[in-house]
């Protein structure tokens, strides 16, 4: 079986999972951490090189304040709690998004773990997309390219590969497989540029219930696909 080099997951359905049990939405977010741990260690085991996880979108800032606050606290707690698992499994963490919106304490914890896991974290990159949106990414790339042009005093040549280098995901190959849980079949402003030829896989399983066996199914489905990139067989 071919293992995708880069798997990306839109981890959706935490709120509905909690509601089904008559609990608050945050209960679902908390339960989602177990799914992250299981899927991450599984991906490292089978030889996935990049696992990117959509954890919080730019639009998610507009949720009720207590949910946002709870999610940010959970993220901080998780960065600290999952440290040993990442280091033990040689997984390096990278956080991507409009991080200026995150609190200094969360950013400190992120930077610490990014720095620590970079040493020896050669087995797999775990990329957490935080305060991320695809349109934000494209726009910040345009802004930085324009700034470089102004600094150079001329219009600099640019092609698709060059533009990719300005995206927040620079240096990371485009996702081969994108999984979205909870039955929603939309991109929700995720990696718009990077998913041009990504294979999409949708499952009704809600994120807190998602485990390695579900990902195994997605990879098996991926293996039945024929990626043509616009060409003929
Ligand atoms: C995904 O679950 C996690 C985040 C977006 C932070 P949701 O919170 O979107 O859960 P549903 O989709 O409302 O069930
Ligand atoms: C996308 O899920 C963002 C994350 C999973 C982090 P949402 O729940 O925010 O997306 P919509 O609102 O259903 O499109
Ligand atoms: Mg959702």
């Amino acid at each position: 079986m071919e293992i995708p080099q880069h798997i990306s997951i839109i981890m959706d359905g935490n709120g509905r999972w909690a509601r089904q049990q008559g609990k608050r939405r945050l209960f679902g977010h908390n339960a989602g951490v177990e799914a992250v741990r299981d899927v991450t260690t599984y991906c490292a085991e089978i030889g996935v090189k990049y696992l990117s996880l959509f954890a919080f979108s730019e639009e998610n800032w507009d949720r009720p304040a207590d949910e946002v606050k709870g999610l940010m606290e959970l993220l901080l707690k998780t960065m600290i709690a999952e440290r040993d698992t990442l280091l033990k499994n040689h997984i390096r963490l990278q956080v991507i998004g409009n991080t200026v919106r995150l609190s200094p304490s969360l950013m400190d914890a992120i930077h610490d773990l990014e720095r620590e896991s970079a040493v020896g974290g050669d087995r797999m990159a775990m990329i957490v997309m935080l305060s991320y949106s695809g349109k934000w990414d494209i726009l910040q790339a345009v802004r930085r390219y324009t700034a470089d042009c102004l600094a150079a005093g001329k219009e600099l040549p640019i092609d698709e590969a060059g533009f990719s280098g300005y995206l927040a995901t620079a240096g990371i190959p485009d996702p081969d497989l994108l999984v979205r849980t909870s039955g929603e079949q939309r991109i929700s402003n995720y990696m718009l540029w990077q998913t041009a030829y990504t294979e999409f896989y949708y499952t009704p399983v809600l994120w807190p219930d998602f485990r390695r066996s579900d990902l195994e199914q997605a990879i098996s489905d991926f293996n039945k696909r024929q990626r043509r990139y616009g060409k003929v067989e």
Side-chain angles (χ1 to χ4, degrees):
M1 196 153 77
E2 184 197 338
I3 302 299
Q5 183 187 27
H6 181 176
I7 296 179
S8 194
I9 307 179
I10 300 178
M11 309 182 290
D12 200 10
N14 297 351
R16 277 163 281 169
W17 185 88
R19 279 287 141 79
Q20 280 177 3
Q21 304 171 55
K23 301 265 176 48
R24 295 176 62 225
R25 295 177 54 83
L26 269 171
F27 183 73
H29 297 314
N30 272 287
V33 176
E34 180 61 39
V36 172
R37 191 183 304 122
D38 192 54
V39 163
T40 304
T41 47
Y42 173 68
C43 283
E45 277 166 36
I46 61 172
V48 171
K49 286 295 162 198
Y50 301 87
L51 171 67
S52 52
L53 302 170
F54 200 8
F56 193 82
S57 74
E58 277 278 81
E59 290 81 5
N60 289 153
W61 287 109
D62 295 330
R63 290 188 177 195
D66 62 331
E67 184 176 348
V68 172
K69 186 167 170 279
L71 269 165
M72 292 301 141
E73 284 165 4
L74 176 64
L75 282 161
L76 179 57
K77 205 177 89 187
T78 307
M79 290 293 157
I80 295 159
E82 298 305 313
R83 175 184 169 275
D84 291 349
T85 308
L86 293 194
L87 299 183
K88 194 179 76 200
N89 290 289
H90 301 277
I91 299 166
R92 69 183 176 282
L93 174 82
Q94 190 180 349
V95 171
I96 289 180
N98 190 11
T99 52
V100 293
R101 299 183 77 174
L102 303 174
S103 75
S105 54
L106 179 54
M107 279 318 293
D108 283 348
I110 288 169
H111 284 145
D112 284 351
L113 194 49
E114 279 181 338
R115 225 175 294 121
E116 228 183 338
S117 65
V119 184
D122 49 7
R123 197 171 178 197
M124 184 181 85
M126 178 198 197
I127 303 148
V128 178
M129 311 298 281
L130 212 51
S131 189
Y132 180 86
S133 88
K135 288 187 180 180
W136 162 81
D137 197 357
I138 292 168
L139 201 54
Q140 68 79 30
V142 170
R143 289 195 182 113
R144 289 199 296 127
Y145 164 71
T146 308
D148 283 354
C149 291
L150 288 172
K154 61 178 183 192
E155 187 188 323
L156 298 167
I158 190 155
D159 56 9
E160 288 185 9
F163 189 79
S164 295
Y166 280 99
L167 291 172
T169 51
I172 299 166
D174 290 343
D176 299 294
L177 171 63
L178 173 65
V179 174
R180 183 167 187 157
T181 58
S182 87
E184 309 297 356
Q185 303 189 357
R186 54 176 170 257
I187 193 84
S188 296
N189 204 0
Y190 193 38
M191 296 194 222
L192 299 176
W193 172 282
Q194 299 89 334
T195 52
Y197 270 105
T198 299
E199 296 293 331
F200 286 43
Y201 179 87
Y202 301 109
T203 168
V205 176
L206 302 175
W207 179 250
D209 287 332
F210 195 87
R211 289 295 178 275
R212 54 183 64 205
S213 55
D214 299 297
L215 189 60
E216 203 180 329
Q217 251 178 52
I219 296 171
S220 144
D221 193 86
F222 170 84
N223 273 264
K224 296 188 196 113
R225 314 273 181 98
Q226 194 195 31
R227 304 181 79 184
R228 283 186 292 275
Y229 301 95
K231 301 177 183 69
V232 289
E233 290 174 46

